[in-house]
DNA sequence: AACCTTCCCTGATGGC
DNA sequence: TGCCATCAGGGAAGGT
């Protein structure tokens, strides 16, 4: 489940390798991930130079000369680089001595929905098993890409992310705090893993109703969100099942998770048993002692 | 308007 | 061993 740190990790890996490269071809498989006639993708992109690659929330934006290609990875989406001069590999083998993930690239398979062939011979591969991902194509002149982002809340690392605004926008809302953190209109980029981790760090039970939170609790949540996201970026993202960076490597933040995926294990802070429940139809992990109801 | 539920999709997992 | 049900969840759409 690529969230902000995973998308940022992919961005940082891809950008230096593809910036300034001209596009040679874009084979695609006609999958439902395409939000346009998929044949238009190759037709329009052929010959254009990739000027820049940016991130907004969980979206990646490829800035070309005349178009923007915007990719959302959904649940299982992957964007990886492939160099035909190097050998491909399957699975996630770990180095037997160091335990570190070796860099490995993957050949296209039946879940690879498109490739962007670059002039230097390398390719960017988009693979998505569950096809919750989406690929958009916009003309750079008509500005219509804005509709995708119009309703998104502030980036957690931007100047727009202020305590004053955070508190005001919480207002007297009745929904559960975790559901609010997952709402991309409230904050952009938080998903299920980092919502649980942020609420653990803030010491707030995920099922609490926003209107009954104390101000100091809201302040702690305000700080915890960018804090856990930053740690996730530093660690290169979280790999539960599917996430790999642009070089096909797994992330490192799963080693630092305090609650997510730790049901039945001991809390590192107080030694009580981590619980799992459901909040807003999402699996939700918490420490019953560190996060009081 | 605010909030909640359903749906999309496939592979992994567990019960029998 | 095989078969079927269940689960994972981002975000749009539909319902209350």
């Amino acid at each position: 489940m690529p969230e902000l740190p995973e998308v940022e990790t992919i961005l940082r890996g891809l950008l230096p390798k593809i910036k300034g490269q001209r596009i040679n071809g874009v084979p695609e498989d006609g999958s439902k991930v395409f939000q346009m006639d998929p044949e238009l993708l190759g037709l329009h992109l052929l010959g254009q130079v990739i000027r820049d690659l940016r991130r907004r929330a969980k979206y990646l934006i490829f800035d070309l000369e005349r178009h923007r290609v915007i990719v959302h990875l959904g649940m299982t989406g992957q964007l990886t680089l492939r160099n035909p001069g190097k050998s491909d590999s399957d699975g996630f083998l770990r180095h037997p001595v160091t335990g570190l993930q070796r860099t490995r690239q993957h050949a296209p398979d039946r879940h690879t929905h498109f490739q962007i062939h670059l002039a230097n011979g390398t390719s960017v591969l988009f693979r998505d098993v569950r096809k919750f991902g989406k690929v958009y194509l916009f003309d750079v002149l008509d500005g219509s890409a804005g509709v995708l982002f119009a309703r998104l809340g502030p980036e957690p690392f931007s100047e727009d992310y202020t305590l004053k605004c955070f508190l005001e926008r919480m207002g007297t809302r009745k929904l559960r705090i975790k559901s609010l953190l997952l709402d991309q209109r409230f904050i952009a980029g938080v998903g299920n893993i980092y919502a649980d981790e942020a609420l653990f760090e803030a010491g707030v039970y995920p099922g609490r109703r926003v209107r009954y939170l104390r101000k100091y609790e809201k302040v702690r949540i305000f700080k915890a969100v960018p804090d856990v996201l930053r740690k996730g970026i530093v660690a290169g993202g979280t790999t539960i099942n599917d996430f790999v960076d642009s070089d096909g490597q797994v992330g490192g933040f799963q080693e630092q998770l305090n609650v997510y995926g730790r049901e039945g294990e001991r809390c590192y802070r107080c030694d009580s048993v981590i619980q799992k429940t459901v909040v807003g139809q999402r699996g939700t992990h918490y420490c019953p002692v560190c996060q009081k109801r």
Side-chain angles (χ1 to χ4, degrees):
Chain A
M1 55 215 85
E3 306 179 29
L4 189 153
E6 288 71 41
V7 178
E8 181 69 23
T9 297
I10 291 170
L11 164 66
R12 293 181 183 189
L14 280 183
L15 179 59
K17 304 281 183 64
I18 68 171
K19 189 166 183 172
Q21 284 294 316
R22 194 174 296 277
I23 295 171
N24 260 351
V26 187
E28 45 75 24
D29 71 352
S31 152
K32 286 184 73 171
V33 301
F34 297 104
Q35 305 298 299
M36 85 296 292
D37 180 349
E39 290 190 13
L40 288 179
L41 197 64
L43 212 60
H44 283 311
L45 269 51
L46 188 63
Q48 290 197 59
V49 168
I50 300 176
R51 293 287 191 207
D52 200 7
L53 180 65
R54 296 177 289 137
R55 180 188 61 74
R56 171 74 172 107
K58 304 174 190 174
Y59 294 89
L60 274 172
I61 307 161
F62 293 78
D63 285 317
L64 312 178
E65 292 162 288
R66 298 183 301 281
H67 290 88
R68 269 185 201 125
V69 178
I70 301 182
V71 175
H72 193 294
L73 297 173
M75 281 290 301
T76 53
Q78 302 171 333
L79 274 173
T80 56
L81 280 161
R82 181 161 182 254
N83 184 339
K86 296 181 180 173
S87 60
D88 297 316
S89 152
D90 299 320
F92 305 135
L93 296 182
R94 287 191 168 263
H95 190 282
V97 177
T98 63
L100 296 176
Q101 178 70 31
R102 287 192 207 140
T103 296
R104 46 191 61 246
Q105 65 180 21
H106 299 268
D109 63 9
R110 67 195 183 95
H111 301 298
T112 303
H113 304 304
F114 73 88
Q115 305 177 55
I116 301 177
H117 295 321
L118 303 174
N120 67 0
T122 64
S123 305
V124 178
L125 275 59
F126 176 79
R127 180 176 186 269
D128 185 7
V129 170
R130 268 140 91 174
K131 293 184 238 180
F132 281 16
K134 289 191 165 47
V135 180
Y136 304 86
L137 177 66
F138 293 101
D139 192 305
V140 79
L141 291 178
D142 71 10
S144 53
V147 301
L148 266 187
F149 306 137
R151 291 163 56 176
L152 288 176
E155 284 286 321
F157 301 121
S158 73
E159 295 175 355
D160 300 336
Y161 187 71
T162 65
L163 179 60
K164 179 170 178 288
C165 190
F166 188 86
L167 295 174
E168 279 175 8
R169 297 181 69 222
M170 280 186 159
T172 57
R173 300 188 63 170
K174 293 181 68 176
L175 80 173
R176 302 169 196 277
I177 180 59
K178 173 163 175 178
S179 297
L180 186 62
L181 293 184
L182 290 177
D183 186 344
Q184 302 300 297
R185 292 167 297 186
F186 185 70
I187 313 176
V190 179
N192 207 38
I193 297 173
Y194 294 93
D196 282 4
E197 292 299 310
L199 288 170
F200 172 82
E201 185 168 308
V204 174
Y205 173 69
R208 294 273 302 282
R209 302 278 175 180
V210 173
R211 66 183 300 180
Y212 299 126
L213 291 173
R214 306 291 189 105
K215 185 179 176 186
Y216 77 87
E217 293 175 315
K218 294 177 181 173
V219 173
R220 292 211 303 236
I221 296 166
F222 173 79
K223 292 175 179 167
V225 167
D227 196 60
V228 296
L229 293 175
R230 189 176 296 110
K231 289 174 183 169
I233 294 171
V234 169
T238 304
T239 300
I240 301 297
N241 292 309
D242 305 287
F243 173 69
V244 290
D245 69 13
S246 61
D247 289 324
Q249 292 199 96
V250 298
F253 196 62
Q254 64 277 5
E255 318 281 345
Q256 299 175 48
L257 295 174
N258 282 304
V259 286
Y260 187 88
R262 298 197 62 241
E263 179 189 13
E265 297 175 38
R266 298 275 174 185
C267 176
Y268 298 127
R269 190 174 292 171
C270 75
D271 206 43
S272 46
V273 177
I274 301 299
Q275 307 290 310
K276 183 176 182 184
T277 182
V278 175
V279 173
Q281 287 75 242
R282 296 287 178 259
T284 297
H285 313 72
Y286 65 100
C287 169
V289 173
C290 296
Q291 297 165 271
K292 283 283 182 214
R293 287 164 179 269

